[in-house]
Amino acid sequence: MATTTRSAERARLTYFPQLAAERLDIALCRASAAVARAADTHAAEEGLGVGQHLVLQMLDAVGPCSQQTLSEELRIDRSVMVSVCDDLERAGHVRRERNPRDRRSYAVTITDTGRRRLVEAQTSVPAFLDDAFHALTPEERGQLSTLLGKLLGVGA
Amino acid sequence: MATTTRSAERARLTYFPQLAAERLDIALCRASAAVARAADTHAAEEGLGVGQHLVLQMLDAVGPCSQQTLSEELRIDRSVMVSVCDDLERAGHVRRERNPRDRRSYAVTITDTGRRRLVEAQTSVPAFLDDAFHALTPEERGQLSTLLGKLLGVGA
DNA sequence: CGCAGATCGTTTGACAGCAGATGATTTTTG
DNA sequence: CAAAAATCATCTGCTGTCAAACGATCTGCG
């Protein structure tokens, strides 16, 4: 009975159950943090940051964009978008040309290299998602997606 | 037809639909960020940080704890816990006494002031949650809670 | 006892995310 | 047309989070 306090505490608790029961907000944050971490390590292995991936994906889908548009659509801060584009440009995945119509903005364009890189990375995403959400069945993932959609205000 | 590029871009897009459709991880992060922000502003109005609230709640529920135990159970980094406890102590909500059994650790104890403060803050939490998750019905919140629980590994 | 290793609280340094200021350019307005 | 306001990309500074290092203390082993 030498070790009193700590082991007594520990015995009574397993991650303070009240939290999981009541505070949905905190559960949400924890889950988000977990998958975000997984996404980051996945991205690191892939050699392409999450933001970079999204930018490439969007450029490939909708064509050249200003950094502003990329920012707004992808919900990435303008300041951050600068360095994301810096990295992509340095890697040759993207070209930055001044938009001739409005020389304040860039026309960020995906290169062929970038497109190839995107295809590469793209294929591994479903596998990553499968891994990150392996605790949920496909139906449950659908549920979750719907719920999060409502929470984020689908149309807003 | 002076405004070409930007409006054309904007017309085609509303927050890059591919994302919401495919990447469950990103939807999760966005939702989490939204409610976290809401929680922070709520906490700011309440005058009691989220971490501080949790610490008081746990101390009230299970009695004196070491910062270590608080850290682990509440999933707050030890480094952060230091300043959380500093703030609580400065406000008189908590006392820090050295544990006589192990003088490395503290026995963090909630004071009567802290207990009163907790009751005050406690009552406003359900209202906040109701507001933050007003887009979901009670059943949907239950679903979400279950799903997040699975995702976090209920017992692990 | 005496020393090696672990543990607790704290400090430090690195890094992402965001608000606000700046400079270049465009658009609007008198 | 010229001055004022707006917009785009960028830079700077602040905050919060996390990892690693550090002193103090405890435990285990010879």
Side-chain angles (χ1 to χ4, degrees), chain A residues 9 15 69 73 140 150, chain B residues 9 15 69 73 140 150:
Chain A
E9 287 170 12
Y15 298 145
T69 308
E73 290 294 325
E140 290 174 327
K150 281 196 184 182
Chain B
E9 287 170 13
Y15 298 145
T69 308
E73 290 293 324
E140 289 174 328
K150 281 197 186 182

Side-chain angles (χ1 to χ4, degrees), chain B residues 43-147:
Chain B
E45 290 165 3
E46 206 56 55
L48 202 64
V50 177
Q52 300 179 32
H53 190 321
L54 294 179
V55 168
L56 285 187
Q57 193 175 349
M58 176 158 160
L59 290 179
D60 183 55
V62 315
C65 283
S66 68
Q67 293 184 191
Q68 181 72 8
T69 308
L70 289 167
S71 269
E72 290 173 8
E73 290 293 324
L74 298 175
R75 315 297 210 125
I76 297 174
D77 197 87
R78 293 178 310 178
S79 325
V80 179
M81 185 57 72
V82 173
S83 54
V84 172
C85 288
D86 282 349
D87 294 342
L88 285 173
E89 191 177 32
R90 201 173 307 120
H93 297 145
V94 141
R95 264 196 317 272
R96 267 201 274 216
E97 293 145 0
R98 284 287 175 185
N99 181 345
R101 307 248 188 203
D102 183 345
R103 299 221 310 283
R104 290 171 301 184
S105 62
Y106 286 129
V108 184
T109 313
I110 188 171
T111 65
D112 289 343
T113 319
R115 232 179 283 271
R116 275 193 299 273
R117 194 75 184 74
L118 177 60
V119 183
E120 265 179 54
Q122 201 75 294
T123 60
S124 70
V125 167
F128 151 69
L129 286 174
D130 243 39
D131 184 52
F133 291 93
H134 74 275
L136 301 182
T137 69
E139 301 83 43
E140 289 174 328
R141 294 179 205 186
Q143 276 186 22
L144 183 55
S145 180
T146 308
L147 293 173

Side-chain angles (χ1 to χ4, degrees), chain A residues 73-144:
Chain A
E73 290 294 325
L74 299 176
R75 316 296 210 119
I76 297 174
D77 196 85
R78 295 174 311 177
S79 325
V80 178
M81 185 58 72
V82 173
S83 54
V84 171
C85 287
D86 282 349
D87 294 341
L88 284 173
E89 192 176 33
R90 199 174 307 119
H93 297 145
V94 138
R95 264 196 317 272
R96 266 200 276 215
E97 293 145 0
R98 284 287 174 186
N99 182 343
R101 306 250 187 202
D102 183 345
R103 299 224 309 283
R104 290 172 301 186
S105 63
Y106 285 126
V108 184
T109 313
I110 188 170
T111 65
D112 289 342
T113 319
R115 232 178 284 271
R116 277 195 299 274
R117 194 75 183 72
L118 177 60
V119 183
E120 266 178 53
Q122 200 76 292
T123 59
S124 71
V125 168
F128 150 69
L129 286 174
D130 243 39
D131 185 51
F133 292 92
H134 75 274
L136 301 182
T137 68
E139 301 82 44
E140 290 174 327
R141 295 180 204 184
Q143 277 185 22
L144 183 56

